[in-house]
Amino acid sequence: MSLSAQPKASLFIDGEYVEGEGPELAVLYPFTGETIATLREASPEQVERACASARRAQVEWAAMAPVERGRILSRAVRIIEERNEELARLETLDTGKPIQETLVADWPSGAEALEYYAGLAATVTGQMIPLGQDWAYTRREPLGVCAGIGAWNYPSQIACWKAAPALAMGNSMVYKPSEETPLGALKLAEIFIEAGVPAGVYNVVQGRGQVGASLVTNPDVAKVSLTGSVPTGRKVYTAAAEGMRHVTMELGGKSPLIVFDDANLEDAVSAAILANFYSSGQICSNGTRVFLQEGIKQRFLDRLVERVRNIRMGDPLDPDTNHGPMINAAQTAKIRAMIEGAEAAGARMVCGGTGEGAFIPPTVFADATDDMEIARDEIFGPVMTTLSFFDEEEVVRRANDTGFGLAAGVFTQDLTRAHRVIGNLQAGTCWINTYNLTPVQMPFGGVKMSGVGRENSAAAIEHYSQLKSVYVGMGGVDAPY
Ligand code: NAD
């Protein structure tokens, strides 16, 4: 079976595929390391052309009735659903994630976002403000050209999560996927054209960090939405601030998952597995600091180890595989070094290890302490750090002792404690007695260094629009002279 995934050309500008004029970009299949496509980055002139095309197209797109924009986005949903299998296979080749996941999680979640905002488009209204004889009203208007920059772990979902609210509100977009996973966004651009989105409303440029940087400072760009790491977020936010651009920052995390003695053991173990090992651990909101209360700790670890043995690591295109390779060699080496560092620092490995080749098995550490690197830094791989605690006040303090604030979870049967603990945790996205579910209806995003703004839900509309206030004078104008 051929694994070639070469697209028609590397970029998508003004409604058509265009070959890049910048340096080469090899796309590797993480499972075998073979080159499945060779792309070219966008040149600075091509980035400018993409932004200029987005600026022109946005005017026509914003003038369209919102219900019509919604209708067009709904057509894109249907096309994605019809092609889900083919798109899932491409996503697996691009990312190395098991087909078992990409069939149900990646494009389906992207389609769900498009469906949601397609319906929401026509419901966005302003306010009428009575002022006696006079009155005022507000209009929620699009921002203009939005730049989207994506991470490699959920490339097509991220592309859709940004495009859906942006386009529904009448903005246009120039999107730069991660250089590691550039293929899905091109498919989205193709699908939009087929659905009837006007040429130029959604453009894709390829490239490494500097192409993203040139997008952020392009004079046509009014807003930047980044999904990536905290160090990149800091750079992009700073650069965007120069031009007073709006931002959404979806960044990394080191989220706590707190399991109290009274938790349902089986559910808590299931959640910890999903919170650490789904997508081979490459998820920003993962609950990688699992705090176990002393009374449940040993039972939890025993059951966890038993269940982790059921893992099926291997060929991502095999439908039985549920644990794929890491995205690339650099990431694999970084995770291995962190596992070795944890052992050297005295953490006890209860299962897993450094693995072989591109694979790292689900790895669990016990007896870790808060100051260890594995308890402080984002690993972005299948490594769970468990820490023990005695009481609520202590665990909340320790859970909050981090610069990150993306997500948090709590497992307990005590209703009031569940809500009290969540109320005291510094995190943007939280779960009680479950973990990592991110339906489009629920706002998603972080606090502290994990981000600014929210994706999904009606909240994202505010991040892709601005308010215009209009005072309407109904009488004469009284001036002092
Ligand atoms: P990364 O920060 O290395 O890169 C993200 C994107 O930014 C890439 O497209 C990259 O080319 C681009 N980029 C790099 N430097 C840039 C610059 N100076 N200006 C503009 N763009 C630049 O992140 P990654 O390794 O691709 O992804 C993993 C990270 O993403 C993890 O930290 C993870 O937690 C985070 N993430 C967050 C979310 C979320 O929603 N909060 C979701 C997925 C991933």
Side-chain angles (χ1 to χ4, degrees), residues 75-157:
R75 281 204 285 273
V77 174
R78 286 197 290 279
I79 299 172
I80 291 170
E81 283 169 351
E82 278 161 21
R83 297 195 194 145
N84 187 45
E85 270 186 40
E86 170 201 328
L87 293 169
R89 186 172 185 276
L90 185 67
E91 193 79 346
T92 287
L93 293 177
D94 215 6
T95 62
K97 293 197 293 181
I99 192 87
Q100 196 186 88
E101 287 189 16
T102 54
L103 276 170
V104 298
D106 294 77
W107 282 96
S109 155
E112 190 181 73
L114 286 163
E115 189 170 12
Y116 179 85
Y117 290 104
L120 204 70
T123 70
V124 177
T125 55
Q127 232 186 339
M128 187 278 186
I129 305 156
L131 299 168
Q133 178 186 241
D134 294 347
W135 55 286
Y137 66 96
T138 59
R139 295 163 52 102
R140 195 157 271 289
E141 298 186 340
L143 298 169
V145 179
C146 301
I149 302 175
W152 49 259
N153 61 333
Y154 273 79
S156 300
Q157 181 200 65

Side-chain angles (χ1 to χ4, degrees), residues 195-230:
V197 174
V201 169
Y202 187 79
N203 305 275
V204 177
V205 295
Q206 306 286 0
R208 300 173 175 83
Q210 80 284 358
V211 174
S214 71
L215 204 50
V216 173
T217 50
N218 184 288
D220 284 328
V221 168
K223 189 227 159 81
V224 182
S225 176
L226 167 78
T227 298
S229 61
V230 171

Side-chain angles (χ1 to χ4, degrees), residues 269-293:
V269 170
S270 296
I273 288 172
L274 291 176
N276 282 273
F277 303 138
Y278 199 70
S279 298
S280 310
Q282 305 169 125
I283 298 183
C284 52
S285 51
N286 273 356
T288 48
R289 288 184 295 147
V290 179
F291 287 94
L292 301 171
Q293 202 167 16

Side-chain angles (χ1 to χ4, degrees), residues 255-276 285-287 289-297 299-300 304 307 384 389-392 395-396 399 408-422 425 430-437:
S255 303
L257 170 57
I258 302 172
V259 182
F260 284 95
D261 283 345
D262 66 346
N264 178 308
L265 179 69
E266 209 55 27
D267 286 344
V269 170
S270 296
I273 288 172
L274 291 176
N276 282 273
S285 51
N286 273 356
R289 288 184 295 147
V290 179
F291 287 94
L292 301 171
Q293 202 167 16
E294 279 294 337
I296 199 169
K297 179 173 124 183
R299 282 182 294 137
F300 180 98
L304 178 68
R307 288 185 53 187
M384 183 194 303
F389 73 95
F390 291 95
D391 66 47
E392 183 182 317
V395 77
V396 167
V410 58
F411 267 80
T412 176
Q413 302 290 329
D414 181 335
L415 192 66
T416 49
R417 177 163 63 192
H419 296 290
R420 188 173 58 237
V421 168
I422 288 294
L425 287 174
C430 298
W431 294 276
I432 294 175
N433 291 337
T434 186
Y435 204 86
N436 256 356
L437 300 177

Side-chain angles (χ1 to χ4, degrees), residues 149-153 176-179 208-209 212-213 226-229 232 235-236 250-252 284 378 380 406 444:
I149 302 175
W152 49 259
N153 61 333
K176 189 200 85 64
S178 163
E179 59 271 37
R208 300 173 175 83
L226 167 78
T227 298
S229 61
T232 303
K235 283 187 224 161
V236 171
E250 290 288 354
L251 309 176
C284 52
E378 186 180 44
F380 223 56
L406 185 54
F444 181 83

